[in-house]
């Protein structure tokens, strides 16, 4: 398989060749189609343009009503739930119990504050869980208020503070002891009991999860989802999609090869790879999309370097004087190539979509330039901004 063929397979697998609805006519069926294609939508709190979870659907559907995604996450029966999948992510409810191996590891792998509250105040963690199960869905602030009423602070060892409430909630969420019933408009999680979040048909799978003996089957399912979403990928690609260890992905890949779901292929300049048996094999591909820095097409750096010869780094957390391309940089997909990077900001006060910098890749076709302007204008319209302002190259 040539690199060009592999690129086209990847673009098709990620849903970029699916027909788009007319602007602002997308329905929940279109949202579900994207979810079925990608399997995971990453969340990030940075809001310089718009919340990152909305951008992958825009890239594949064009202008759409973002409340569709909110409904899929917030209203029962939910089509999406939140958990640590790739990073903080939205996944179908059927995927959530497959991540039990990560939940079981929370006591050892969760961040320091979460581990510390479990070690030092396990009784308090249990109280917080009971509060959520009794009163939820609740934000962390609402849990704090409820605890103040139900378990007043005192000066003895039972005293507690805001950070402890948050740490306990985040530990319980990581450990799969509670879930999230969505987010508020301020991006706060609404913590809830598992039974209140899981769709009825999946409640037992959520609340009665088998132990590590089921992990090999879980890894097969996760690699299967990743393989469908990639179309073609290396061991690293298939493992990284859900952040599983390569030593756990390896036997899962072998099982899927034995079952005929994955086919070994060779791509020049790339490591050994596998093609999903049902992957679409387009002879040509023309897609146009501005990609979130957290879009699943560009998650894996080695992959996009090998297939697109595109060196990509997220620079949000890089000091300003060390940034090369800008703060919130979106790659521009044109045809089957990544041809440019755009540092974007939604200036809501002025009603302007500002493109602080465009960096073109060597060999970018001339026709990509007016296409980028058209895509920026479409994005501005979707964001409710009246015009674009593109910095001179």
């Amino acid at each position: 398989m040539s690199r060009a063929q592999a690129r086209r397979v990847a673009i098709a697998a990620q849903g970029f060749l699916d027909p788009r609805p007319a602007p602002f006519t997308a329905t929940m069926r279109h949202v579900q189609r994207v979810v079925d294609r990608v399997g995971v939508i990453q969340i990030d709190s940075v809001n310089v343009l718009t919340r990152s979870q909305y951008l992958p659907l825009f890239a594949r559907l064009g202008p759409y009503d973002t409340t569709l995604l909110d409904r899929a996450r917030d209203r029962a029966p939910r089509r999406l739930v939140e958990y640590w999948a790739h990073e903080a992510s939205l996944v179908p409810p059927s995927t959530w119990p497959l991540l039990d191996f990560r939940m079981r590891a929370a006591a050892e792998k969760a961040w320091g504050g979460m581990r510390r509250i479990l070690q030092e105040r396990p009784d308090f963690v249990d109280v917080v869980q009971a509060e959520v199960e009794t009163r939820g869905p609740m934000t962390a602030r609402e849990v704090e208020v409820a605890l103040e009423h139900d378990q007043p602070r005192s000066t003895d060892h039972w005293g507690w503070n805001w950070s402890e409430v948050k740490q306990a909630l985040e530990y319980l969420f990581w450990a799969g002891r509670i879930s999230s019933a969505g987010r508020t408009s301020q991006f706060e999680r609404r913590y809830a009991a598992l039974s209140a979040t899981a769709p009825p048909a999946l409640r037992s799978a959520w609340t009665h999860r088998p132990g590590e003996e089921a992990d090999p089957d879980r890894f097969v399912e996760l690699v299967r989802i990743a393989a469908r979403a990639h179309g073609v990928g290396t061991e690293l690609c298939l493992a990284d999609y859900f952040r599983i260890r390569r030593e756990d992905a390896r036997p899962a890949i072998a099982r899927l090869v034995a079952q005929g779901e994955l086919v070994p292929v060779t791509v020049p300049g790339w490591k050994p790879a596998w093609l999903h048996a049902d992957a679409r094999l387009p002879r040509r591909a023309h897609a146009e999309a501005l990609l979130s820095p957290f879009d699943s097409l560009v998650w894996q750096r080695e992959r996009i370097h090998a297939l697109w010869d595109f060196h990509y780094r997220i620079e949000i957390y890089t000091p300003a004087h060390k940034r090369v391309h800008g703060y919130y940089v979106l790659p521009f997909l044109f045809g089957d190539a990544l041809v440019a990077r755009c540092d974007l900001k939604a200036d809501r006060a002025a009603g302007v979509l500002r493109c602080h910098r465009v960096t073109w890749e060597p060999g970018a076709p001339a026709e990509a330039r007016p296409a980028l302007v058209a895509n920026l204008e479409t994005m501005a319209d979707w964001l409710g901004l009246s015009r674009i302002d593109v910095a001179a190259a």
Side-chain angles (χ1 to χ4, degrees):
M1 173 178 283
S2 70
R3 288 174 69 219
Q5 287 174 318
R7 286 196 299 270
R8 294 195 296 269
V9 167
I11 289 167
Q14 282 279 303
F16 289 102
L17 301 186
D18 293 341
R20 290 188 178 190
F24 296 105
T25 66
T27 65
M28 189 63 79
R29 183 176 297 178
H30 294 100
V31 171
Q32 187 65 57
R33 185 184 73 189
V34 174
V35 171
D36 291 343
R37 286 287 194 191
V38 301
V40 190
I41 297 173
Q42 188 173 341
I43 301 168
D44 190 80
S45 61
V46 175
N47 196 26
V48 66
L49 184 63
T50 188
R51 298 290 187 193
S52 66
Q53 69 266 25
Y54 299 122
L55 288 167
L57 276 80
F58 171 75
R60 292 157 177 81
L61 300 176
Y64 74 103
D65 182 355
T66 58
T67 62
L68 288 169
L69 185 63
D70 296 338
R71 280 172 44 202
R73 178 197 63 196
D74 297 348
R75 294 189 189 176
R78 288 172 177 78
R79 296 169 184 259
L80 290 166
V81 294
E82 185 178 342
Y83 189 64
W84 297 102
H86 182 74
E87 294 290 337
S89 306
L90 297 172
V91 296
S94 57
T95 301
W96 188 90
L98 300 177
L99 298 162
D100 179 76
F101 68 95
R102 185 162 293 140
M103 300 169 189
R104 296 196 316 270
E108 293 79 37
K109 298 292 181 66
W111 300 321
M114 296 183 229
R115 294 199 310 273
R116 187 164 53 252
I117 194 70
L118 177 68
Q119 294 162 1
E120 298 176 359
R121 305 291 302 279
D123 49 353
F124 180 69
V125 173
D126 291 341
V127 166
V128 171
Q129 178 175 350
E131 200 73 33
V132 170
E133 290 176 339
T134 302
R135 295 174 174 263
M138 310 169 74
T139 67
R141 290 292 180 188
E142 289 168 341
V143 173
E144 182 188 27
V145 170
L147 283 173
E148 184 65 52
H149 179 271
D150 296 340
Q151 301 284 346
R153 297 181 224 210
S154 66
T155 57
D156 62 16
H157 70 282
W158 188 244
W160 50 270
N161 57 46
W162 155 247
S163 64
E164 289 180 325
V165 172
K166 183 64 174 174
Q167 288 164 1
L169 287 166
E170 287 298 296
Y171 167 75
L172 290 164
F173 176 80
W174 190 316
R177 290 169 56 177
I178 61 174
S179 185
S180 171
R183 295 260 185 169
T184 69
S185 58
Q186 290 76 40
F187 206 59
E188 298 171 291
R189 276 201 190 107
R190 298 172 60 243
Y191 299 95
L194 301 184
S195 59
T197 306
L202 290 171
R203 278 179 191 152
S204 179
W206 276 47
T207 58
H208 298 88
R209 304 188 299 271
E212 63 181 327
E213 70 278 5
D215 284 350
D217 291 336
R218 292 184 177 114
F219 294 136
V220 167
E221 289 301 319
L222 293 172
V223 170
R224 178 179 283 128
I225 295 166
R228 285 200 199 101
H230 277 312
V232 60
T234 64
E235 178 183 284
L236 177 59
C237 298
L238 300 179
D240 184 65
Y241 211 71
F242 285 99
R243 300 288 206 219
I244 66 177
R245 299 183 307 171
R246 293 175 71 170
E247 53 263 44
D248 292 322
R250 201 167 297 135
I253 292 170
R255 280 177 58 178
L256 292 171
V257 170
Q259 294 168 14
E261 293 186 52
L262 294 183
V263 179
V265 294
T266 300
V267 179
W270 207 20
K271 296 175 181 178
W274 289 268
L275 176 72
H276 193 278
D278 296 332
R280 183 176 169 185
L281 304 172
R283 293 189 175 185
R284 64 177 301 276
H286 184 84
E288 296 182 17
L290 287 158
L291 305 174
S292 161
F294 306 103
D295 194 291
S296 49
L297 185 72
V298 295
W299 274 346
Q300 220 294 307
R301 295 173 181 177
E302 184 269 348
R303 174 184 180 83
I304 59 175
H305 183 210
L307 296 186
W308 280 276
D309 195 24
F310 192 81
H311 297 261
Y312 186 51
R313 299 291 185 272
I314 294 174
E315 298 183 283
I316 293 171
Y317 308 108
T318 301
H321 69 281
K322 293 185 177 181
R323 292 180 194 139
V324 177
H325 300 291
Y327 177 72
Y328 202 75
V329 177
L330 281 70
F332 181 47
L333 174 65
F334 181 80
D336 67 354
L338 295 170
V339 299
R341 309 157 200 255
C342 306
D343 181 16
L344 298 183
K345 178 180 179 179
D347 185 342
R348 296 173 180 88
V352 178
L353 175 60
R354 300 196 184 278
C355 184
H356 296 303
R357 176 175 179 172
V358 179
T359 307
W360 290 96
E361 291 295 292
E367 58 268 29
R369 294 176 183 267
L372 174 59
V373 172
N375 276 267
L376 289 170
E377 289 173 341
T378 299
M379 175 176 277
D381 184 49
W382 174 58
L383 294 174
L385 304 172
S386 58
R387 64 184 179 90
I388 66 171
D389 180 25
V390 182

